[in-house]
């Protein structure tokens, strides 16, 4: 297993840098998703001429922890990019960021349901919306949740390479939406970032298997490319 050294320039590396500056952070607080949202937006602005131009001409604005409403319900989305100048704010694309730090067997199923619900909600709000999800998955078996309820909890030993590979495989089976005619409960893009972090020491980015490899559907670079392409086709 190769473990890369974080460096500035893209969201996965910068997320690991953020973890190392905030060791012992409580994942329930959601501060990591605020930081990751900013990193992803910077990458998308560099990757997409259409998105960059729209921000330069002030026809788009982004919002962290945005309330997005349909005819029946309002849900809070980690980050949303809205259209301006059409008489009302319209969600053009949105992001949801999730972490799986421990208890993978249960957490990966819950996060899958979260991503499906997020995608469905975004597309009910605007069938042309582009929905992207990023999952950060921890490869360390030593992680201890900082919440008091986890203090002294017995931790079972697992083959984490296999556990995480199984998790990646589960998300790889979720279809990605290519057109507004396809089912609403699919994201347009899904990326997975692997790292090793025990909750106290230094986190390191994992770039070799079971991490998605360049060119594969769940690799971060593929995620950015799909978000850029889908936005350009629908709104560019």
């Amino acid at each position: 297993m190769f473990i890369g050294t974080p460096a500035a320039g893209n969201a996965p590396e910068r997320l690991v840098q953020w973890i190392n500056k905030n060791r012992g952070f409580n994942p329930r607080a959601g501060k990591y998703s605020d930081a990751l949202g900013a990193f992803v937006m910077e990458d998308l602005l560099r990757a997409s001429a259409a998105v960059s131009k729209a921000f330069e001409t002030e026809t788009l604005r982004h919002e962290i922890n945005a309330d997005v409403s349909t005819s029946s319900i309002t849900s809070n989305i980690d980050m949303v990019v809205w259209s301006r100048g059409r008489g009302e704010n319209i969600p053009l694309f949105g992001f949801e960021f999730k972490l799986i730090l421990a208890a993978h067997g249960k957490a990966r199923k819950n996060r899958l349901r979260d991503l499906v619900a997020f995608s469905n909600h975004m597309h009910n709000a605007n069938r042309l919306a582009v929905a992207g999800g990023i999952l950060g998955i921890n490869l360390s078996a030593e992680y201890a949740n900082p919440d008091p309820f986890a203090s002294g909890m017995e931790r079972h030993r697992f083959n984490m390479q296999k556990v995480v590979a199984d998790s990646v495989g589960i998300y790889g089976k979720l279809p990605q939406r290519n057109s507004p005619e396809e089912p609403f409960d699919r994201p347009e893009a899904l990326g997975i970032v692997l790292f090793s972090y025990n909750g106290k020491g230094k986190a390191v980015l994992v770039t070799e298997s079971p991490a998605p490899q360049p060119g594969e559907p769940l690799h971060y670079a593929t995620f950015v490319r799909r978000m850029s392409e889908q936005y350009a086709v629908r709104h560019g």
Side-chain angles (χ1 to χ4, degrees), residues 140-218:
S140 173
E142 307 297 326
Y143 177 78
N145 192 303
D147 278 354
F149 78 84
S151 179
M153 183 180 295
E154 181 181 356
R155 291 177 178 82
H156 300 286
R157 295 289 178 177
F158 298 100
N159 180 343
M160 292 303 294
Q161 288 283 123
K162 181 180 185 306
V163 168
V164 173
D166 289 346
S167 296
V168 173
I170 287 172
Y171 292 106
K173 294 177 182 177
L174 180 63
Q176 296 185 27
R177 189 171 181 254
N178 294 302
S179 76
E181 286 68 43
E182 293 186 6
F184 282 8
D185 60 357
R186 301 175 180 181
E188 274 71 17
L190 182 59
I192 289 183
V193 177
L194 262 57
F195 53 85
S196 184
Y197 171 59
N198 67 7
K200 297 179 180 179
K202 185 178 181 180
V204 287
L205 184 68
V206 177
T207 59
E208 285 198 352
S209 182
Q213 296 302 295
E216 294 182 348
L218 298 179

Side-chain angles (χ1 to χ4, degrees), residues 101-137:
L101 296 175
H104 289 244
K106 179 180 179 181
R108 63 193 180 192
K109 295 178 182 178
N110 291 339
R111 299 296 79 78
L112 181 62
R113 285 193 289 268
D114 291 341
L115 287 169
V116 168
F118 151 71
S119 301
N120 197 48
H121 186 78
M122 284 296 300
H123 297 136
N124 275 315
N126 177 11
R127 64 187 294 271
L128 297 178
V130 181
I134 292 183
L135 279 159
I137 302 180

Side-chain angles (χ1 to χ4, degrees), residues 35-86:
L36 184 55
F39 304 153
V40 170
M41 274 306 308
E42 290 179 18
D43 286 348
L44 189 58
L45 286 167
R46 284 193 293 267
S48 172
V51 174
S52 179
K53 181 179 179 180
F55 270 96
E56 288 175 1
T57 57
E58 298 185 344
T59 58
L60 295 183
R61 68 177 181 88
H62 77 282
E63 181 180 2
I64 301 292
N65 296 318
D67 286 337
V68 175
S69 298
T70 67
S71 60
S72 58
I73 192 171
T74 297
S75 291
N76 187 266
I77 305 300
D78 286 338
M79 188 173 71
V80 175
V81 174
W82 304 89
S83 172
R84 303 196 219 204
R86 299 186 186 179

